[in-house]
Amino acid sequence: MSDLNNPLTKFYSGKFEKQRQEAPALQRKMTPVPDCGEESYTGSDKLSGRKVLITGGDSGIGRAAAIAYAREGADVAINYLPFEEEDALEVKQWIEKAGRKAVLVPGDLKEEAFARKLVHAAAEELGGLDILVLNAGMQQAVKDIKDLTTKQITDTFTTNIISMYWTVQEAMAYLPAGGSIITTTSIQSEEPSAHLLDYAATKGAITAFSKGLAAQLAPKGIRVNTVAPGPIWTALQICGGQPQEAIPEFGQKELLERAGQPAELAAVYVFLASDQASYVTGQVYAVTGGSFFA
Ligand code: NAD
Ligand code: MG
């Protein structure tokens, strides 16, 4: 009997119930709860003994990477907002269940002092830092540019891209040759939506930042790549990331006719962090359900 899975039906392919939480949302309260590979990801020692820091590691794509990294043999520190402690504690349990060390460092990446301290706290608890996954992000849809507040523009840029400068600056004290930085950009970098003028611009910046950083760090033997997800069912989307009326059809227009699940990105984050990607740097890896990232 074939064990092939049809990508159209491998994960939830129905419409979503309208649902709304205040940002930041808890993924454990979503319907359906996003699939971060808790019951499915199988490791094979691709990251034995590696030390990893993942921002936004409590939920969604960062959580899927955290679980996969632990099952591949890595010790994992995660950063998230204090409000998200309940989601983060679940991730801690999954990391420990995989027999690895879990370090929780809650705090707001918009605060420069915290963003810098985070890297040292993680590296001290882990005993080093080999892999940095800069994945935290905020997204608030606003239909009319006249309604976009300076606070939202500034918060989105500080969270999504400016904090990357701070964390990478501090991480340079630890990352060894063979180390790796992975950022999370978006298909929005390539195909910006009308209602995401601030968010999409930060994603364009992240793509350019990641490519430029790859050029700067290549002589040190540190690879830098970025992952560009398409529509993925995560907490980001139900706390203002999408207009409420767009929730039921979320992801349905993709070639694969459904939203992706965080679990479907885990293998890409593992590959880019692993020695198997030794000749891969400065690249954008798209996981979009079909949209093409040029
Ligand atoms: P998510 O809400 O589960 O994860 C985002 C995380 O970012 C939160 O859990 C939170 O811990 C963190 N965060 C936000 N603001 C923060 C702050 N000020 N300080 C510290 N942490 C903060 O949603 P997700 O979709 O898994 O998002 C992960 C990344 O994927 C984001 O960069 C997002 O832009 C990107 N992305 C998501 C999609 C999608 O469709 N879900 C598509 C393209 C890109
Ligand atoms: Mg979260």
Side-chain angles (χ1 to χ4, degrees):
M1 205 174 83
S2 168
D3 60 356
L4 281 178
N5 281 303
N6 183 339
L8 294 170
T9 51
K10 184 175 176 192
F11 289 89
Y12 181 76
S13 58
K15 296 193 174 160
F16 295 104
E17 283 173 33
K18 280 192 188 172
Q19 51 200 287
R20 166 95 205 187
Q21 294 179 40
E22 289 305 307
L26 291 178
Q27 91 162 35
R28 63 201 302 272
K29 294 190 174 162
M30 291 173 67
T31 315
V33 174
D35 184 338
C36 295
E38 291 88 346
E39 308 298 338
S40 58
Y41 192 88
T42 308
S44 55
D45 296 323
K46 290 194 187 76
L47 300 173
S48 294
R50 300 288 162 76
K51 297 162 194 320
V52 188
L53 169 60
I54 305 176
T55 65
D58 60 301
S59 58
I61 295 164
R63 177 190 184 121
I67 292 169
Y69 282 7
R71 291 186 189 171
E72 295 290 355
D75 294 328
V76 183
I78 61 169
N79 162 249
Y80 52 91
L81 288 163
F83 178 81
E84 299 172 300
E85 189 74 17
E86 284 174 51
D87 279 349
L89 286 172
E90 291 179 3
V91 178
K92 181 173 189 273
Q93 281 181 354
W94 286 115
I95 294 168
E96 288 172 349
K97 212 168 160 191
R100 307 311 308 183
K101 182 169 185 173
V103 178
L104 301 186
V105 196
D108 190 337
L109 286 169
K110 294 195 296 302
E111 294 169 12
E112 178 175 353
F114 171 75
R116 293 186 182 281
K117 209 175 62 184
L118 160 67
V119 177
H120 300 287
E124 273 158 34
E125 292 261 355
L126 294 170
L129 186 65
D130 304 309
I131 299 158
L132 181 61
V133 179
L134 298 175
N135 163 79
M138 62 167 281
Q139 173 183 333
Q140 289 291 308
V142 175
K143 287 181 185 161
D144 189 330
I145 190 167
K146 282 191 265 175
D147 297 328
L148 202 44
T149 63
T150 299
K151 179 171 172 19
Q152 177 172 323
I153 298 166
T154 307
D155 284 354
T156 305
F157 271 81
T158 309
T159 305
N160 294 11
I161 171 71
I162 294 175
S163 70
M164 289 190 179
Y165 293 84
W166 298 330
T167 46
V168 172
Q169 283 174 342
E170 302 308 316
M172 292 318 298
Y174 304 101
L175 291 174
S180 167
I181 298 173
I182 302 161
T183 63
T184 305
T185 183
S186 170
I187 188 67
Q188 287 290 322
S189 167
E190 190 73 9
E191 292 178 354
S193 295
H195 55 273
L196 293 175
L197 294 185
D198 54 342
Y199 175 85
T202 69
K203 293 298 173 179
I206 291 167
T207 302
F209 173 75
S210 306
K211 290 179 179 177
L213 191 63
Q216 185 174 124
L217 299 188
K220 296 185 195 294
I222 298 168
R223 296 179 298 102
V224 184
N225 293 285
T226 190
V227 179
I232 311 298
W233 182 242
T234 69
L236 194 78
Q237 306 297 352
I238 55 93
C239 62
Q242 296 293 321
Q244 267 296 298
E245 65 271 19
I247 295 289
E249 301 280 333
F250 183 65
Q252 305 268 328
K253 290 199 187 74
E254 298 305 317
L255 295 185
L256 294 176
E257 298 173 3
R258 64 171 174 86
Q261 292 292 327
E264 298 183 273
L265 287 109
V268 174
Y269 285 82
V270 168
F271 169 69
L272 292 173
S274 78
D275 286 344
Q276 289 184 328
S278 52
Y279 202 51
V280 179
T281 196
Q283 301 305 306
V284 183
Y285 270 66
V287 183
T288 61
S291 289
F292 181 65
F293 198 108

